[in-house]
Amino acid sequence: MRAYRLFAAAIVGVGVATMSTGVPAQDAPTGIVGLRQATMKTLGAHMGALKAILTDQTEMVDQVPMHARAIGDVAGHIPVLFPEGSTDPESDALPAIWEDKADFDSHAEKLSELVAALAETAEGGDVQASLAAFGQMGKEGCGGCHETYRKKDS
Amino acid sequence: MTLTSIIHPVKAALSVLVAIFAAGTGALAQDTQDAVRETPSDPLAAGRLVAAIGGCANCHTAKEGAPLAGGDPIHSPFGTFYPPNITPDPATGIGGWSDEEFITAMREGISPGGDPYYPAFPYTSYTHMNDEDLLELKVWLDSVEPVEQASPAHVLRMPVWPHLEAPFDVRFALWGWRWLFFEPARFEPDPAKSKEWNRGAYLVEGPGHCAQCHTPRNIFGALDHDRAYSGSATGPDGEKIPDITQGPDGIGDWSQQDLTFFFKIGMMPDGDFVGSEMAKVVNEGTAKLSDADRAAIAAYLMDLPVD
């Protein structure tokens, strides 16, 4: 009996210790940071659809302009999604954004132009040219801004 | 105490002073193609491709500099390295090197004067390259515009006293490092694997020198092959380098198609685009390969052992 109780006590002890030392999960950001993270994820989803069309389901190239326009619409919202001081421990946004907000905003403008070019190319039905425009949009539109204004791999 | 057991620690101690954190693909690349005298001959085009996958310009071309005339400094725990001028200028570049001298430099890390290079120059990978690729690469390098520009001397540091510059030329101790960590090798195809896998293995282990960043290093700055491709907290210029094995922190959720496409335009499965040094590796390197070569690289990477 004594051994059984010791064993039970040990289990309870370990359980309590685990609970008390467990690091609480960081809450997903809410407010403007939560919105912009959710919005950025929608861009990733459109990018995934564009990749699937341009590398696999190429006969669906007529669907490219819709995804491109959706990205373009979001690009138009990027400047207001990053108001001054909108930081969060879970945010990857670098303070450099607000040191030169005009430059940051110009990247969103650049993305708008590049997706417009992609939509236009895809309307012509040329898959290879669309793929090239897609790559340029990703590198210069998405990558160009992330390189400067987003935290590197955490 | 045997003679070997005395010599070994001595060599190791010497080596630690000079072991270099090889900085893989460094500085910014510019489009080196502008400087190439376009001729349709095959070795030249082939050599340009070897230069692309080898990423020569990533280290040897400075952000604001002439192609291959010397790169931006690479900062590492072992000091600051200045990638030298590799244009065909006879005085300050590599003009006038014989094919044998070039191959010895690439595959054994020994200069035409007989001095060992610091392993910041990734000859420990290039040692796997074949003669054809190296000779074509030389044809292409010889075609680049010669630029007269002297290369600054490297500034060595000892990781144990990082605030002190090494007070003397410690290049002689590189012989010890080589003795401990380098064996000239050549790529040997694995007959049990597919042709595609072997092609990928050659590109990754040889010219692509992926391990130089993606494999962690020991305290001597030598690659830790037991943890191959599991990433590194201290890549070139302090950047964190990801695990690219199929392990839990790696890229097990990427398909071969994801990887092949990544090497074409730099897009990751989540729709985001790769940045930093790897963006240059893709844009200036793998993007210029054939689809078959990209698929081969992917096939090999997906088969990397998980430790």
Side-chain angles (χ1 to χ4, degrees), chain A residues 13 32 36 39 49 54 56 61 64 71 79 83-84 89 92 94 99 102 111 118 122 126 133 138:
Chain A
I32 190 75
R36 76 181 177 227
T39 307
L54 293 172
D56 185 31
V61 67
V64 166
I71 294 171
E84 174 88 46
D92 288 336
L94 290 176
E99 284 160 20
L111 175 59
L118 169 61
D126 185 336

Side-chain angles (χ1 to χ4, degrees), chain A residues 6-122:
Chain A
L6 266 174
F7 183 64
I11 288 188
V12 170
V14 167
V16 168
T18 308
M19 285 193 303
S20 54
T21 57
V23 178
Q26 188 78 46
D27 287 334
T30 53
I32 190 75
V33 176
L35 172 60
R36 76 181 177 227
Q37 290 190 349
T39 307
M40 286 292 171
K41 285 203 182 83
T42 69
L43 294 185
H46 284 292
M47 295 298 283
L50 287 168
K51 175 199 168 188
I53 295 168
L54 293 172
T55 62
D56 185 31
Q57 301 292 305
T58 52
E59 69 278 11
M60 307 276 183
V61 67
D62 63 312
Q63 296 180 7
V64 166
M66 183 283 281
H67 293 289
R69 278 195 296 271
I71 294 171
D73 286 350
V74 170
H77 300 156
I78 287 176
V80 296
L81 286 171
F82 289 85
E84 174 88 46
S86 58
T87 55
D88 186 283
E90 289 294 288
S91 171
D92 288 336
L94 290 176
I97 292 171
W98 299 286
E99 284 160 20
D100 192 350
K101 186 65 167 31
D103 180 69
F104 175 81
D105 291 353
S106 76
H107 278 82
E109 179 65 27
K110 171 92 178 163
L111 175 59
S112 300
E113 289 164 17
L114 290 168
V115 281
L118 169 61
E120 195 178 328
T121 308

Side-chain angles (χ1 to χ4, degrees), chain B residues 253-305:
Chain B
D253 54 345
W254 292 38
S255 69
Q256 185 180 3
Q257 206 264 346
D258 285 338
L259 266 170
T260 305
F261 190 64
F262 169 76
F263 287 123
K264 190 181 176 94
I265 72 169
M267 182 176 135
M268 297 176 280
D270 65 358
D272 199 1
F273 275 68
V274 74
S276 301
E277 294 305 314
M278 195 63 201
K280 287 165 224 159
V281 172
V282 171
N283 298 340
E284 307 300 322
T286 59
K288 297 179 178 176
L289 298 178
S290 65
D291 281 330
D293 276 351
R294 282 189 284 267
I297 293 173
Y300 177 70
L301 291 180
M302 291 183 68
D303 198 39
L304 288 174

Side-chain angles (χ1 to χ4, degrees), chain B residues 174-195:
Chain B
L174 285 171
W175 294 109
W177 190 93
R178 295 167 62 87
W179 183 66
L180 288 165
F181 300 116
F182 177 63
E183 200 71 57
R186 203 69 62 80
F187 177 71
E188 294 290 345
D190 181 347
K193 301 286 189 180
S194 68
K195 206 177 156 194

Side-chain angles (χ1 to χ4, degrees), chain B residues 112-188:
Chain B
D115 291 321
Y117 292 125
Y118 292 105
F121 170 57
Y123 67 88
T124 55
S125 293
Y126 298 153
T127 190
H128 298 292
M129 291 177 73
N130 62 42
D131 286 350
E132 295 79 4
D133 278 1
L134 287 170
L135 291 172
E136 284 163 353
L137 174 60
K138 184 167 187 295
V139 168
W140 180 75
L141 282 172
D142 284 343
S143 78
V144 172
E145 192 67 43
V147 177
E148 192 179 343
Q149 180 172 297
S151 310
H154 305 310
V155 179
L156 273 294
R157 276 171 210 284
M158 300 176 227
V160 271
W161 299 291
H163 55 290
L164 279 183
E165 291 180 7
F168 49 90
D169 182 357
V170 287
R171 209 176 264 250
F172 69 92
L174 285 171
W175 294 109
W177 190 93
R178 295 167 62 87
W179 183 66
L180 288 165
F181 300 116
F182 177 63
E183 200 71 57
R186 203 69 62 80
F187 177 71
E188 294 290 345

